[in-house]
Amino acid sequence: MGTGRGYTGMTVRALKSVQDLADAGLIADGDATGLDRLAQHYAISITPAIAALIDRTDPNDPMARQFVPDMAELTVTPEERGDPIGDFAHTPVEGIVHRYPDRVLLKAVHICPVYCRFCFRREMVGPKGDGLLSGAALEQALNYIRDHTEIWEVILTGGDPLVLSPRRLTALMAALSAIEHVKIVRFHTRVPVVEPGRVDADLIGALNASGKVIYLALHANHPREFTADARAACARLNAAGIVLVSQSVLLKGVNDDVDTLATLMRTFVENRVKPYYLHHPDLAPGTSHFRLTIAEGQALVAALRGRVSGLCQPTYILDIPGGHGKADIGRAEISADTGGCYTVSDYQGGQHRYPPSDN
């Protein structure tokens, strides 16, 4: 990581270009040309809160690794795919993913305050991605939810749904409020840690506008993400009666040691965030430098069990490529084959090879 020219300290706006990164001292000046090519494929955005956490003197800084683009992202391996968890196979109408009987994803927005370099939807998010659902598309998605009375839970994802304005969010929650068979609304977000000031009274009011039971799945991968401001944002959400659970991705060079993982899970619990999912990295294009082997991940999870409270134990999850759903790979739903491959059982008992052999 270079010092860059013109860096004067704390950034006051999001960094959204290669030049912004150079000016903030996050890349060496000589790297800009190559990264410009990368930026044509994948979005860049680093909030001031995250930029302030990056150690510019550490070439292996785990915060930089998550958010600062790397030329390794241009290396695409044969098993990687643009839709690694098979969203498109379960998309009956634009904006809806209906993979499991009693719940749907509602992707109202494909914009994020930060763009993680390992994102499994990196082909869909960002300024060049799918953007906001149009009013007509959103109404069609809501009609799908209205028509399917088996849907008990709606999961707002994207993109990051908390980038929506309180006004838009309130309108969306009002629409969900009128759907009697929907009992739970869950949000998947990074906002409380990457842009904690956004979690204010207006946003919290919008989250609670439906009168439904609200869950918020907070994505964080390293304990340093829990700044004083981030902890305060979590406290505001807790005080409003919103239930917080965690989701993290097991990432090489970020949290792939038991001490960091244990500290992360304890930090969640200390902030009243129940550890929920620890994801094995998905087969998104240009992300192989983040992936551990499943055996390495299983060893870390086993070590975690012997080290920290049961309150701090996440479920180690693999999203089976092709749209077959999640498998708990910390348990008996996965078995090793030959040649570094595995057989994974989905929730319906189907057997799938991992990595897939259909490329």
Side-chain angles (χ1 to χ4, degrees):
M1 191 182 307
T3 58
R5 293 180 183 172
Y7 176 62
T8 57
M10 177 73 177
T11 60
V12 295
R13 60 178 179 82
L15 309 175
K16 294 180 177 289
S17 69
V18 172
Q19 188 59 55
D20 287 345
L21 299 178
D23 291 344
L26 295 178
I27 61 170
D29 293 337
D31 293 340
T33 301
L35 291 176
D36 277 332
R37 184 158 56 95
L38 176 63
Q40 294 174 13
H41 294 274
Y42 303 121
I44 297 170
S45 184
I46 302 175
T47 58
I50 292 299
L53 292 177
I54 295 174
D55 183 353
R56 290 154 174 81
T57 67
D58 181 1
N60 300 309
D61 180 64
M63 301 302 296
R65 188 165 171 82
Q66 290 188 72
F67 302 107
V68 177
D70 188 309
M71 289 299 293
E73 295 172 50
L74 291 176
T75 300
V76 178
T77 60
E79 71 273 13
E80 292 176 344
R81 49 188 65 195
D83 181 22
I85 69 170
D87 279 355
F88 293 148
H90 297 280
T91 299
V93 299
E94 185 182 359
I96 292 287
V97 179
H98 196 175
R99 196 186 325 268
Y100 299 100
D102 73 338
R103 57 203 182 274
V104 294
L105 304 182
L106 175 54
K107 299 192 288 186
V109 61
H110 288 85
I111 298 166
C112 300
V114 294
Y115 292 107
C116 305
R117 308 322 304 172
F118 50 87
C119 178
F120 69 97
R121 291 195 179 113
R122 62 196 330 231
E123 300 279 335
M124 310 168 202
V125 299
K128 297 179 182 178
D130 296 336
L132 283 168
L133 276 187
S134 68
L138 180 57
E139 187 60 25
Q140 184 182 33
L142 289 168
N143 282 336
Y144 181 90
I145 297 169
R146 294 180 184 113
D147 292 342
H148 287 261
T149 57
E150 74 274 21
I151 296 172
W152 173 81
E153 179 183 23
V154 174
I155 302 168
L156 273 295
T157 182
D160 193 316
L162 297 198
V163 303
L164 292 170
S165 70
R167 178 185 61 81
R168 284 180 179 268
L169 206 48
T170 298
L172 177 55
M173 296 301 277
L176 292 173
S177 176
I179 305 175
E180 196 278 334
H181 56 267
V182 172
K183 305 298 184 184
I184 308 293
V185 179
R186 189 196 325 172
F187 292 84
H188 283 197
T189 183
R190 257 190 177 282
V191 163
V193 292
V194 304
E195 199 173 8
R198 196 177 186 94
V199 183
D200 58 12
D202 289 341
L203 180 64
I204 290 172
L207 293 177
N208 277 327
S210 69
K212 307 290 187 183
V213 176
I214 305 301
Y215 279 74
L216 188 147
L218 174 61
H219 178 183
N221 298 315
H222 195 278
R224 272 169 50 197
E225 294 175 50
F226 280 88
T227 61
D229 287 342
R231 291 169 187 261
C234 290
R236 291 192 293 274
L237 292 163
N238 276 303
I242 295 169
V243 183
L244 274 64
V245 297
S246 80
Q247 57 176 357
S248 303
V249 184
L250 188 57
L251 298 166
K252 186 183 292 185
V254 175
N255 55 20
D256 60 331
D257 66 273
V258 70
D259 289 336
T260 299
L261 209 53
T263 302
L264 175 62
M265 295 304 150
R266 285 174 173 151
T267 303
F268 277 129
V269 172
E270 289 163 10
N271 288 278
R272 297 184 182 180
V273 181
K274 177 65 182 80
Y276 182 41
Y277 280 160
L278 177 64
H279 292 267
H280 190 76
D282 295 309
L283 298 174
T287 63
S288 62
H289 54 296
F290 286 108
R291 287 198 294 275
L292 298 78
T293 66
I294 286 174
E296 288 170 331
Q298 288 173 322
L300 279 169
V301 170
L304 195 64
R305 287 196 199 103
R307 182 175 294 235
V308 297
S309 164
L311 294 173
C312 302
Q313 303 295 331
T315 301
Y316 184 32
I317 288 295
L318 174 72
D319 268 294
I320 305 171
H324 301 289
K326 292 178 172 61
D328 179 352
I329 57 173
R331 301 184 185 275
E333 294 178 7
I334 188 165
S335 58
D337 295 334
T338 58
C341 295
Y342 295 81
T343 297
V344 190
S345 300
D346 66 31
Y347 73 103
Q348 295 177 314
Q351 302 284 303
H352 307 278
R353 186 176 173 84
Y354 182 86
S357 56
D358 55 355
N359 286 296

